[in-house]
């Protein structure tokens, strides 16, 4: 079937809606997650309907074409808007950049549509949001969904694009116990670990705390590797020493920022920092941590210093914004070589 035929009315009878899943946001993560979810759902129940939606129509089109090529009998369609995706499916998954997109998709699209649905359809609708966004925004959206008679959990992920592709993601779930139990079998098709962190917003709180550590950790590893090499150490020797000492962490032993420092592994620095977790996304997550810390009245001085440095990096070297955030090492090296100053 030609991909262009997929621009069709996705709204079927309500019996179809109960067998339909809509996935909104087919970016680097969402594309892989939706692919795993739909292919496993299709293998299990080939009468399922799949609906995809993205602000960039070509992304949805490309997803459909690839999926139909691999699963010729699959009933997969494109929703032009979140409203259409909501009318089409009982299960709705969102994987968008951050708070502004979630506010727009839920408050302008999903929630008003849920309010207009017949009671039985609204009550059976279940939303899972895997975006990393502000905790208070996630809570306000979940409240809006509940007021529209539907269920929602926040389920941000850890594991990156590689984990999304391999379906080995960890999902950090915030919501009721009932919501968590409902989400579990769906999330199990896209990941390996599904952890109930607490009520609405708790999954995000856990994710933001983890990334606060990660953002600072990757930066200090960059500093230590730069200092060590400046002092004449071989990066591979230094990495091996730290990996077996108290400084060991993911940023040194897996995501090491110095080419050839991990001879057995292939971190993003071996590909000029392509792939991995974009610096722009890390900057966003550091901002989420300072926002929520300010609201909670909790000091995060190292997090704020790291946020300032990532912001300087993206401003002065915009080409590093989409590279892996371990490229902070490259930025620091350049600052050193050019005798510039650091703002943080
Ligand atoms: P991305 O920018 O690649 O994808 C976002 C997608 O959302 C894009 O396809 C975009 O077109 C679409 N979109 C934006 N606004 C939309 C709207 N209004 N309606 C419909 N679609 C819209 O981002 P990503 O890397 O896939 O990350 C998604 C989320 O996952 C982010 O919150 C990120 O912080 C988090 N995350 C990413 C990684 C990673 O390694 N990339 C790891 C863990 C968590």
């Amino acid at each position: 079937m030609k991909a262009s035929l997929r621009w069709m009315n996705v709204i079927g009878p309500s019996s179809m809606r109960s067998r339909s899943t809509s996935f909104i946001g087919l970016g680097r993560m969402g594309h892989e997650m939706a692919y795993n979810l739909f292919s496993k759902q299709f293998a299990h129940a080939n009468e399922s309907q799949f609906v995809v939606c993205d602000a960039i129509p070509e992304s949805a089109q490309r997803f459909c074409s690839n999926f139909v090529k691999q699963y010729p009998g699959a009933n997969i369609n494109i929703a032009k808007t979140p409203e259409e995706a909501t009318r089409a499916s009982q299960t709705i998954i969102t994987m968008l950049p951050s708070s502004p997109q979630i506010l727009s998709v839920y408050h302008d699209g999903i929630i008003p549509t849920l309010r207009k649905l017949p009671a039985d359809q609204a009550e059976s609708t279940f939303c899972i949001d895997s975006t990393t966004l502000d905790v208070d925004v996630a809570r306000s959206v979940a409240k809006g969904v509940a007021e529209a008679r539907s269920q929602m959990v926040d389920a941000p992920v850890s594991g990156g694009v590689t984990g999304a592709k391999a379906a080995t993601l960890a999902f950090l779930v915030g919501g009721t116990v009932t919501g968590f139990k409902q989400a579990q079998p769906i999330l199990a098709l896209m990941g390996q670990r599904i952890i109930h962190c607490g009520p609405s917003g708790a999954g995000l709180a856990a994710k933001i705390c983890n990334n606060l550590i990660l953002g600072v950790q990757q930066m200090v590893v960059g500093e230590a590797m730069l200092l060590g090499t400046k002092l004449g150490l071989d990066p591979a020797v230094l990495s091996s020493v730290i990996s077996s000492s108290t400084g060991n962490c993911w940023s040194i032993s897996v995501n090491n920022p110095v080419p050839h420092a991990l001879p057995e592994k292939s971190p993003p620095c071996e590909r000029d920092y392509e792939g991995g977790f974009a610096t722009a996304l890390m900057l966003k997550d550091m901002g989420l941590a300072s926002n929520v810390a300010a609201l909670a009245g909790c000091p995060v001085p190292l997090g704020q210093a790291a946020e300032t440095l990532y912001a300087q990096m993206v401003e002065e070297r915009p080409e590093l914004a989409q590279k892996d955030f371990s490229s902070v090492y490259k930025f620091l090296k350049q600052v050193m070589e050019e005798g510039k100053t650091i703002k943080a």
Side-chain angles (χ1 to χ4, degrees):
M1 186 179 290
K2 272 199 186 140
S4 57
L5 290 179
R6 297 282 160 194
W7 289 101
M8 52 170 59
N9 186 4
V10 295
I11 324 293
S14 65
S15 59
M16 177 57 91
R17 189 176 184 273
S18 67
R19 285 181 271 123
S20 182
T21 303
S22 289
F23 204 109
I24 306 177
L26 301 163
R28 277 173 285 199
M29 295 291 288
H31 183 101
E32 306 298 343
M33 291 164 67
Y35 214 90
N36 280 325
L37 176 68
F38 290 174
S39 48
K40 289 175 190 172
Q41 283 180 331
F42 181 65
H44 186 243
N46 63 9
E47 73 281 7
S48 307
Q49 175 178 251
F50 309 113
V51 176
V52 285
C53 176
D54 196 281
I56 303 171
E58 295 74 30
S59 297
Q61 196 78 54
R62 194 170 48 247
F63 183 96
C64 269
S65 308
N66 291 343
F67 198 79
V68 170
K69 227 177 270 166
Q70 196 177 349
Y71 301 99
N75 179 6
I76 181 163
N77 299 293
I78 297 170
K80 292 193 203 79
T81 59
E83 178 188 347
E84 228 177 68
T86 307
R87 284 164 61 209
S89 302
Q90 185 169 295
T91 305
I92 301 160
I93 300 167
T94 41
M95 189 54 162
L96 298 166
S98 195
S99 303
Q101 295 79 13
I102 285 296
L103 279 170
S104 132
V105 164
Y106 276 86
H107 281 309
D108 303 339
I110 296 176
I111 295 172
T113 311
L114 290 173
R115 287 207 199 99
K116 286 184 222 145
L117 287 178
D120 61 325
Q121 288 190 22
E123 282 160 13
S124 60
T125 301
F126 184 49
C127 302
I128 300 176
D129 178 35
S130 283
T131 308
T132 307
L133 75 158
D134 286 287
V135 175
D136 57 335
V137 171
R139 285 186 182 142
S140 89
V141 165
K143 190 164 172 270
V145 168
E147 284 166 0
R149 305 161 293 173
S150 304
Q151 311 293 318
M152 177 168 189
V153 294
D154 47 286
V157 302
S158 179
V161 179
T162 318
K165 203 170 190 141
T168 56
L169 292 170
F171 286 93
L172 313 174
V173 183
T176 61
V177 172
T178 314
F180 172 68
K181 286 187 178 155
Q182 198 172 349
Q184 248 178 337
I186 302 167
L187 299 179
L189 302 178
M190 298 179 279
Q192 263 176 355
R193 282 192 309 142
I194 301 143
I195 305 155
H196 190 205
C197 300
S200 176
L204 275 161
K207 168 73 183 163
I208 290 170
C209 290
N210 179 71
N211 280 23
L212 170 63
I213 295 174
L214 183 60
V216 174
Q217 182 193 94
Q218 193 68 59
M219 194 164 276
V220 78
V221 162
E223 290 177 0
M225 291 303 294
L226 190 60
L227 176 63
T229 43
K230 182 82 177 160
L231 297 177
L233 288 163
D234 178 313
V237 172
L238 179 58
S239 300
S240 165
V241 169
I242 298 175
S243 297
S244 53
S245 307
T246 46
N248 189 28
C249 58
W250 182 84
S251 300
I252 193 98
S253 61
V254 177
N255 210 41
N256 196 297
V258 186
H260 316 306
L262 297 180
E264 315 269 287
K265 296 184 180 155
S266 179
C269 67
E270 303 294 350
R271 298 175 296 283
D272 193 24
Y273 304 92
E274 285 300 330
F277 186 57
T279 308
L281 285 179
M282 179 47 87
L283 174 59
K284 177 205 70 166
D285 289 358
M286 299 310 282
L288 295 177
S290 18
N291 288 349
V292 77
L295 287 172
C298 178
V300 285
L302 287 181
Q304 276 169 345
E307 184 186 359
T308 307
L309 184 55
Y310 283 120
Q312 181 180 353
M313 172 177 166
V314 166
E315 191 189 318
E316 291 179 10
R317 299 282 305 274
E319 74 279 11
L320 297 181
Q322 293 310 317
K323 301 259 186 185
D324 183 71
F325 71 120
S326 61
S327 60
V328 68
Y329 165 81
K330 190 172 171 164
F331 175 68
L332 289 171
K333 189 161 179 269
Q334 192 201 24
V335 166
M336 179 180 78
E337 286 164 358
E338 293 177 358
K340 285 188 175 169
T341 50
I342 292 291
K343 289 181 190 162

